[in-house]
């Protein structure tokens, strides 16, 4: 394109495309429509990847988990305005809560009409709506500001504590033009967007002193340590100190679950009895009962906490040894400070080992239990997956649900970092199929998704997306026909129980879109189907028939579920 002076021109579409490419973005996830369809087309025509979803929320979840796996660059979601933006905003808030670097780019209506509320097409003040739910919210009004605007968004998303960033793209921006030569001069890539943040020397010394004097220490590994890719530093710290460790859900595999220092099988005992807990990339939020109460032995523990954000310290309990800095730098210095220190108390380590061995024996008995006529239970079915993952540790494991989530986390060991991808800090359902697409696209490795049948319903239509892109995804639907359980009685008067679902043929849904479906009723059938499905590297769905009586209401967070006691004796 050129103007009357025969000067070659470019437009907002191309400047945005070139800016994203220069910053290492090669993949976007989204749903096309006015005004961003042409951007997605140009993106693909230029050789970049665009995964077109059926719903923006799932595209956003794909972008969020892509950011987590990549760590040093954000996942990018592209949506239309107003309702499309709002659908994507759920995933952006999820990314921010979980500290995943993500960009949400949304087309929007023209400012002069929106600001006067004159009723424009899909009118909405998207930038201000997004602001409370993300790290930052920007609007780019001029083609000349595209490079600097995207640079600010990327640096904000990946630096410090990572999170989601919203970028508002008014429709008129795409049609603006600029001489190609001038546009090229504006393009740049931020230097050192994820700088090391070195902790203070006195903080390291103080924490090292607490650890050296601990009698019953335990390490809590969080997904922050996993995303920081501090694998070598974590391994050195754990093995050098000899301290038993516990992983949060998405930190499983950062240290192998079958490592001799893993105390995961006796988590309750370890937390209640410890005197010092070292938090590495983990927060004392609801997932750890805020560091209080029965879980922690009804006493104040001494906490050493490594976090990149200073105001995370003391958020729920006093932190005796705060280390504010990035995890890799902090652990490198802490490892140096602890060189030559005695290893963890042998009596304490032995007590935990004894508990671990006992609990593993009990679990093995459950996994070997015979199958009831009404279907498998969570233990004997997931025992199959446990053995498969031990033999295939580089497979990505997506997991959501209530009982499906809790039991998979407990039963299935992970041996590699950043392979277990679950509901995260909010404990939400709906992440499943989006995570599958994101994980498959970033890693290129097979994905297994273990889904409760209720959880699968949130994003199940995206199996068409998985089939369209022929991704190596195997979905296991734990089908007990209900939310929690599938055997709750109907209340009468022609009403259907609010927790009951149809125990349907999800395998046939997959086949309707060209994938392979399996219906399994026994662990032996599940094993054969799983091995064949993953080996095929094709879209597959295994409909695993689970006893409708299997599971408990609200899974392992039943205490949060308020129940009326009125009229009960």
């Amino acid at each position: 394109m050129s103007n009357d002076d025969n000067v070659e021109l470019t437009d907002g579409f191309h400047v945005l495309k070139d800016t994203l490419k220069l910053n290492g973005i090669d993949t976007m996830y989204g749903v096309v429509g006015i005004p961003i369809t042409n951007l997605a087309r140009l993106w693909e025509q230029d050789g970049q990847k665009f995964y077109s979803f059926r719903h923006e929320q799932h595209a956003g979840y794909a972008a969020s988990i892509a950011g987590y796996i990549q760590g040093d660059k954000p996942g990018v979601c592209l949506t239309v305005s107003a309702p499309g933006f709002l659908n994507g905003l759920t995933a952006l808030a999820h990314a921010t809560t979980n500290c995943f670097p993500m960009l949400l780019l949304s087309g929007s209506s023209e400012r002069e009409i929106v600001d006067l509320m004159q009723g424009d097409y899909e009118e909405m003040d998207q930038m201000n709506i997004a602001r409370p739910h993300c790290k930052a919210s920007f609007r780019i009004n001029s083609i000349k500001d595209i490079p600097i605007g995207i640079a600010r968004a990327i640096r904000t998303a990946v630096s410090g504590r990572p999170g989601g960033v919203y970028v508002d793209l008014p429709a008129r921006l795409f049609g603006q033009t600029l001489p190609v030569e001038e546009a090229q001069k504006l393009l740049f890539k931020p230097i050192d967007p994820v700088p090391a943040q070195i902790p203070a020397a006195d903080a390291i010394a103080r924490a090292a002193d607490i650890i050296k004097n601990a009698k019953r220490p335990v390490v809590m590994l969080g997904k922050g340590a996993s995303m920081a890719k501090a694998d070598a530093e974590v391994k050195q710290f754990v093995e050098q100190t000899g301290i038993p460790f516990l992983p949060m859900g998405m930190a499983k595999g950062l240290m192998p679950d079958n490592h001799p220092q893993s105390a995961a099988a006796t988590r309750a005992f370890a937390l209640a009895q410890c005197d010092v807990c070292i938090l590495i990339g983990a927060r004392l939020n609801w997932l750890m009962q805020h560091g209080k109460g029965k879980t922690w032995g009804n006493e104040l523990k001494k906490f050493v906490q490594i976090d990149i954000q200073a105001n995370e310290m003391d958020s729920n309990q006093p932190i005796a040894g705060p280390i504010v800095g990035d995890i890799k730098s902090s652990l490198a210095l802490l490892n140096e400070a602890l060189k030559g220190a005695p290893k963890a108390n042998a009596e304490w380590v032995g007590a935990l080992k004894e508990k671990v061995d006992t609990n593993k024996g009990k679990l093995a008995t459950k996994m070997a239990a015979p199958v009831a006529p009404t279907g498998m239970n969570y233990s004997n079915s997931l025992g199959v997956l446990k053995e498969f993952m031990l033999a295939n540790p580089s497979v990505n494991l997506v997991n959501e649900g209530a009982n499906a989530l809790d039991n998979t986390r407990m039963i299935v060991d992970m041996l590699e970092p950043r392979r277990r991808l679950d509901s995260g800090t909010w404990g939400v359902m709906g992440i499943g199929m989006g995570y599958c697409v994101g994980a498959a696209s970033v890693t290129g490795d097979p994905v297994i998704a273990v889904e409760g049948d209720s959880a699968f319903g949130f994003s199940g239509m995206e199996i068409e997306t998985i089939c369209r892109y022929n991704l190596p995804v195997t979905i296991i639907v734990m089908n007990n026909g209900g939310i929690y359980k599938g055997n709750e009685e109907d209340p009468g008067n022609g009403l259907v129980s609010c927790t009951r679902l149809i125990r349907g043929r999800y395998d046939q849904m997959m086949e309707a879109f060209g994938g392979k479906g399996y219906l399994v009723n026994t662990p032996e059938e599940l094993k054969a189907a799983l091995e064949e499905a993953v080996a095929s590297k094709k879209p597959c769905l295994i409909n695993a028939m689970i006893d409708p009586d299997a599971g408990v209401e609200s899974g392992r967070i039943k205490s949060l579920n308020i129940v009326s006691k009125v009229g009960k004796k």
Side-chain angles (χ1 to χ4, degrees):
M1 182 173 65
S2 59
N3 61 12
D4 294 340
D5 297 324
N6 207 30
V7 174
E8 188 178 2
L9 300 177
T10 187
D11 61 16
F13 286 115
H14 288 82
V15 174
L16 179 57
K17 171 180 68 70
D18 292 344
T19 299
L20 290 169
K21 281 179 57 183
L22 182 63
N23 281 276
I25 306 299
D26 58 10
T27 303
M28 286 196 286
Y29 313 87
V31 178
V32 299
I34 297 172
I36 49 87
T37 303
N38 201 45
L39 176 61
R41 285 200 184 105
L42 291 170
W43 185 253
E44 288 188 314
Q45 289 167 8
D46 197 49
Q48 315 306 309
K49 291 185 288 185
F50 187 89
Y51 290 91
S52 185
F53 280 71
R54 305 301 291 262
H55 193 284
E56 294 89 352
Q57 183 172 317
H58 311 309
Y61 283 140
S64 74
I65 206 63
Y68 166 75
I69 296 169
Q70 292 165 166
D72 58 353
K73 66 179 180 180
V76 179
C77 178
L78 181 66
T79 81
V80 300
S81 50
F85 151 76
L86 288 174
N87 289 339
L89 184 60
T90 300
L92 189 70
H94 168 81
T96 304
T97 299
N98 283 278
C99 312
F100 300 161
M102 172 186 164
L103 302 187
L104 175 62
L105 311 180
S106 295
S108 65
S109 299
E110 303 311 330
R111 298 307 317 152
E112 64 270 23
I113 302 176
V114 172
D115 289 348
L116 282 174
M117 301 173 64
Q118 293 178 317
D120 201 5
Y121 171 72
E122 295 190 348
E123 179 179 287
M124 183 174 286
D125 187 1
Q126 296 169 199
M127 184 181 75
N128 286 313
I129 289 171
R131 184 165 282 132
H133 307 291
C134 55
K135 281 188 75 176
S137 183
F138 303 121
R139 178 180 295 123
I140 302 175
N141 289 298
S142 169
I143 184 174
K144 293 183 179 181
D145 290 332
I146 290 174
I148 198 76
I150 294 300
R152 288 197 69 191
I154 289 175
R155 186 180 287 275
T156 302
V158 299
S159 63
R161 173 174 284 179
V165 175
Y166 174 65
V167 181
D168 197 66
L169 305 170
R172 196 171 295 167
L173 174 70
F174 297 112
Q176 293 178 23
T177 60
L178 195 66
V180 169
E181 186 176 348
E182 184 179 349
Q184 289 296 321
K185 292 177 181 178
L186 293 171
L187 296 177
F188 79 102
K189 183 178 181 179
I191 297 171
D192 195 17
V194 193
Q197 296 191 27
I198 311 300
D202 60 342
I204 294 294
R206 180 171 50 235
D209 187 59
I210 293 170
I211 294 168
K212 288 175 184 177
N213 287 287
K215 293 181 174 58
R216 299 181 305 281
V218 68
V219 175
M220 181 66 75
L221 301 174
K223 63 178 178 290
S226 184
M227 194 178 74
K229 300 185 178 177
D231 309 358
E233 292 81 3
V234 167
K235 184 176 189 294
Q236 181 182 344
F237 176 79
V238 170
E239 294 184 344
Q240 176 179 310
T241 62
I243 299 174
F245 68 89
L246 301 165
M248 299 297 288
M250 285 181 62
K252 284 169 65 71
L254 180 56
M255 290 292 292
D257 280 337
N258 59 4
H259 191 283
Q261 285 172 242
S262 173
T266 185
R267 175 188 171 106
F269 179 80
L271 294 182
Q273 298 299 318
C274 73
D275 64 339
V276 170
C277 179
I278 301 103
L279 303 164
I280 305 177
R283 295 174 283 185
L284 281 177
N285 55 20
W286 73 276
L287 290 165
M288 285 195 278
Q289 292 72 47
H290 308 282
K292 305 172 184 177
K294 182 180 178 182
T295 298
W296 296 89
N298 292 309
E299 62 181 14
L300 177 62
K301 310 294 184 178
K302 277 191 175 180
F303 291 103
V304 172
Q305 184 167 18
I306 303 175
D307 200 285
I308 202 163
Q309 189 158 309
N311 67 0
E312 182 61 40
M313 307 301 171
D314 311 317
S315 59
N316 279 286
Q317 289 282 53
I319 303 300
I323 300 176
V324 179
D326 73 88
I327 290 172
K328 286 176 73 74
S329 300
S330 299
L331 279 178
L333 292 170
L334 190 57
N335 287 337
E336 187 64 28
L338 290 169
K339 273 187 177 178
K343 289 204 170 189
N345 181 299
E347 184 178 348
W348 165 242
V349 173
L352 289 177
K353 181 69 166 58
E354 183 179 344
K355 291 279 187 181
V356 165
D357 291 343
T358 299
N359 291 343
K360 283 185 174 181
K362 292 177 181 177
L363 180 59
T365 301
K366 289 182 179 180
M367 289 190 294
V371 178
T374 46
M376 296 178 283
N377 61 34
Y378 288 100
S379 297
N380 55 27
S381 57
L382 289 170
V384 172
L385 181 61
K386 176 185 175 74
E387 295 305 315
F388 184 88
M389 289 300 298
L390 286 172
N392 300 274
S394 294
V395 171
N396 299 292
L397 180 62
V398 172
N399 187 206
E400 64 174 334
N403 294 283
L405 174 71
D406 294 336
N407 284 284
T408 303
R409 182 177 59 241
M410 176 181 67
I411 292 171
V412 179
D413 290 335
M414 305 300 294
L415 304 185
E416 293 186 4
R418 294 169 295 281
R419 295 295 187 180
R420 179 179 164 81
L421 312 169
D422 66 26
S423 302
T425 304
W426 270 345
V428 296
M429 294 189 194
I431 53 95
M433 299 305 100
Y435 271 26
C436 286
V437 175
S441 65
V442 171
T443 68
D445 295 323
V447 180
I448 296 172
V450 179
E451 303 275 310
D453 51 351
S454 173
F456 177 69
F458 284 75
S459 64
M461 193 62 191
E462 299 298 347
I463 62 174
E464 186 275 332
T465 306
I466 291 168
C467 288
R468 190 171 0 114
Y469 293 101
N470 196 30
L471 297 173
V473 174
T474 296
I475 303 154
I476 304 174
V477 178
M478 310 296 279
N479 188 358
N480 68 351
I483 302 171
Y484 313 129
K485 293 187 176 186
N487 60 356
E488 182 167 296
E489 291 186 7
D490 293 336
N493 299 320
L495 301 174
V496 178
S497 166
C498 61
T499 67
R500 190 159 60 82
L501 304 171
I502 293 174
R503 202 165 174 230
R505 294 296 301 273
Y506 299 107
D507 52 302
Q508 293 179 349
M509 282 180 61
M510 175 60 88
E511 294 192 338
F513 293 112
K516 172 72 173 176
Y518 301 85
L519 178 67
V520 303
N521 293 283
T522 67
E524 293 75 21
E525 292 174 355
L526 176 57
K527 181 176 187 292
L530 181 61
E531 290 176 350
E532 181 180 296
V534 176
S536 75
K537 298 183 180 179
K538 301 286 186 181
C540 299
L541 189 149
I542 301 171
N543 191 3
M545 304 307 284
I546 304 297
D547 186 345
D549 195 44
V552 295
E553 183 158 338
S554 303
R556 290 178 178 269
I557 54 173
K558 188 173 182 179
S559 62
L560 301 178
N561 193 18
I562 307 302
V563 178
S564 174
K565 297 180 180 179
V566 175
K568 293 186 177 181
K569 295 182 180 179

